[in-house]
Amino acid sequence: MLGYIFARQAGLDDPLRLRRAESTRRVLSLELNKDKDVERIHGSGISTLDIEPVEGRYMLSGGSDGVIVLYDLENCSGKPCYTCKAVCSVGRSHPDVHKFSVETVQWYPHDTGMFTSSSFDKTLKVWDTNTLQPADEFNFEGTVYSHHMSPVATKHCLIAVGTKSPKVQLCDLKSGSCSHILQGHKQEVLAVSWSPRYEYILATASADSKVKLWDVRRASACLITLDQHNGEKSKASSEAANTAHNGRVNGLCFTSDGLHLLTVGTDDRMRLWNSSSGENTLVNYGKVCNDSRKGLKFAVSHGCSPEFVFVPYSNTIAIYTIYSGDLITTLRGHYNSVDCCVFQPHFQELYSSGRDSNILVWVPSVREPEPDDASEKCLNPAYEDAWSSSSDGEG
């Protein structure tokens, strides 16, 4: 630790190196927070969470009962033990409440004045945060599984929507209508995600075992259909050609730099893809249990070295290193299946929710004093790589 500080003071090291090392240490020490609680409002399972990217202070949750809750995550009490209070909610008595399960909630990426929600009731709603009234509503023919707004777009306001239809819908916030349809999948679209690097690149995952990358500016918008075999499978087995998984693909997440894409499927596999070439990197994460009938929402770290992925795994959350596939640890605390987790990069905190109606907060453990014995080794290999030993700081 001292080695990083001295090197930074002397101008020998990139200042980001210290930040990355500390962020990594904090992720590796995540544990259930006994001092911070989230007020329990939902009476049934919680399908989706989202923390606004501007301040990282406010969080949305969407429940299987159609209820949406907005929480303030900041400690306003001044006490070490506190509860994150619900600021407001769209409850069952609200005239515009979703009739069925809310599958996705997302803040407008550029300010907290607006958020979006989509539901099994075949609607996508755009909400004014201040009045808690819908500013716009999009209706679809089938169940809505997932939607996403680009975190980096400056030239478009498109919301990608995955529904029971194999067609991916693009809804334009400016015009208030569905402006594009992307055709290519054969079954329902369970997950959609815009690239955090290129504003026109979209990834979609379907029950047809396929993952497609699209450039929404192009007439023939599909760029690549990801192939788990990287084109090496015999052409005779045409049915298996260009499938990303041997089952439904129900989760998608780009790495924070947008250079890679993670997918999960009901074949109990997670795969890492090069998002430019579409190549399967063949990183082996082992068995990643996934029997969800709908979308699975998982998260990646930001600003760590190495970077991590947090995946709901039955009633736990598994943490893997993204590029080597090592299972670092498993977070236990829920007593029913976990459906969603979100990472808060400002403080390296993780929030998870599931069918037990609880939102759990996972925070870095309080730092232990450095051991006197310089020869003591850390057992966690990822931790050891990212952090100097005590001997590095001497002299």
Side-chain angles (χ1 to χ4, degrees):
M1 174 62 179
L2 288 174
Y4 281 108
I5 295 172
F6 291 149
R8 181 174 174 176
Q9 281 180 331
L12 302 172
D13 230 343
D14 181 346
L16 286 176
R17 193 157 173 245
L18 173 63
R19 183 188 295 178
R20 278 197 299 268
E22 177 61 8
S23 296
T24 304
R25 183 199 70 78
R26 289 170 65 84
V27 169
L28 289 169
S29 68
L30 283 174
E31 63 181 13
L32 190 58
N33 192 346
K34 301 172 183 69
D35 300 325
K36 183 176 181 178
D37 199 10
V38 179
E39 186 177 359
R40 186 168 170 146
I41 302 291
H42 291 278
S44 57
I46 302 168
S47 311
T48 173
L49 301 170
D50 191 45
I51 299 173
E52 48 87 12
V54 181
E55 292 179 83
R57 175 175 174 176
Y58 297 102
M59 181 173 73
L60 291 165
S61 65
S64 56
D65 54 359
V67 170
I68 300 169
V69 183
L70 193 161
Y71 300 93
D72 186 349
L73 302 179
E74 194 165 280
N75 183 3
C76 301
S77 69
K79 299 172 184 173
C81 296
Y82 65 102
T83 298
C84 299
K85 293 290 187 184
V87 178
C88 55
S89 66
V90 180
R92 294 305 308 162
S93 59
H94 192 288
D96 297 298
V97 68
H98 282 290
K99 294 180 177 64
F100 304 122
S101 177
V102 176
E103 289 301 298
T104 311
V105 288
Q106 188 190 3
W107 288 100
Y108 182 62
H110 307 297
D111 71 58
T112 55
M114 185 169 80
F115 67 88
T116 53
S117 64
S118 59
S119 165
F120 280 173
D121 67 6
K122 307 179 184 179
T123 66
L124 164 70
K125 297 186 180 187
V126 182
W127 299 85
D128 181 319
T129 312
N130 297 310
T131 63
L132 226 56
Q133 298 297 320
D136 209 344
E137 182 174 318
F138 298 89
N139 293 279
F140 303 93
E141 290 178 10
T143 300
V144 182
Y145 289 103
S146 173
H147 78 268
H148 192 230
M149 285 180 283
S150 169
V152 294
T154 56
K155 298 187 177 75
H156 73 77
C157 290
L158 297 173
I159 306 176
V161 187
T163 71
K164 195 152 191 167
S165 160
K167 297 173 184 175
V168 180
Q169 312 263 356
L170 298 181
C171 300
D172 192 340
L173 277 177
K174 285 182 179 174
S175 67
S177 63
C178 287
S179 59
H180 294 55
I181 289 174
L182 306 177
Q183 299 193 64
H185 284 298
K186 299 285 190 292
Q187 294 183 45
E188 54 201 5
V189 179
L190 299 173
V192 295
S193 181
W194 292 97
S195 164
R197 192 177 189 90
Y198 304 110
E199 64 177 287
Y200 292 106
I201 302 300
L202 175 71
T204 61
S206 168
D208 64 8
S209 304
K210 296 190 177 184
V211 174
K212 292 179 180 286
L213 290 171
W214 314 78
D215 182 338
V216 299
R217 294 169 299 184
R218 294 167 37 137
S220 54
C222 184
L223 293 173
I224 311 169
T225 300
L226 301 183
D227 178 11
Q228 60 182 303
H229 305 292
N230 287 331
E232 291 173 17
K233 188 95 169 163
S234 164
K235 297 296 178 201
S237 56
S238 57
E239 212 175 329
N242 285 38
T243 56
H245 288 263
N246 299 321
R248 297 145 50 91
V249 192
N250 59 351
L252 278 177
C253 188
F254 279 95
T255 54
S256 56
D257 59 10
L259 296 177
H260 290 85
L261 176 70
L262 284 152
T263 62
V264 292
T266 55
D267 55 357
D268 293 340
R269 289 286 177 263
M270 179 161 64
R271 295 201 164 93
L272 179 72
W273 310 82
N274 181 310
S275 58
S276 297
S277 65
E279 182 185 6
N280 180 1
T281 63
L282 304 176
V283 174
N284 183 8
Y285 301 95
K287 184 177 181 180
V288 183
C289 279
N290 174 6
D291 57 2
S292 177
R293 297 291 303 162
K294 50 186 186 176
L296 191 72
K297 296 167 179 67
F298 61 105
V300 293
S301 66
H302 180 58
C304 297
S305 178
E307 295 287 11
F308 303 95
V309 55
F310 312 93
V311 188
Y313 191 117
S314 186
N315 59 351
T316 69
I317 301 112
I319 304 180
Y320 299 88
T321 51
I322 291 178
Y323 300 108
S324 62
D326 297 322
L327 175 61
I328 297 301
T329 189
T330 304
L331 304 178
R332 303 175 190 279
H334 287 279
Y335 55 87
N336 207 331
S337 295
V338 181
D339 288 324
C340 176
C341 57
V342 290
F343 184 66
Q344 212 278 32
H346 303 326
F347 303 112
Q348 293 78 46
E349 295 177 343
L350 187 72
Y351 293 78
S352 61
S353 65
R355 294 172 208 174
D356 60 4
S357 310
N358 290 320
I359 298 173
L360 299 186
V361 189
W362 309 87
V363 297
S365 63
V366 177
R367 196 155 192 196
E368 296 296 326
E370 291 290 323
D372 294 331
D373 182 2
S375 66
E376 257 187 72
K377 284 278 189 179
C378 175
L379 295 176
N380 193 317
Y383 180 92
E384 194 173 40
D385 288 344
W387 199 250
S388 62
S389 67
S390 51
S391 59
D392 293 338
E394 292 173 7

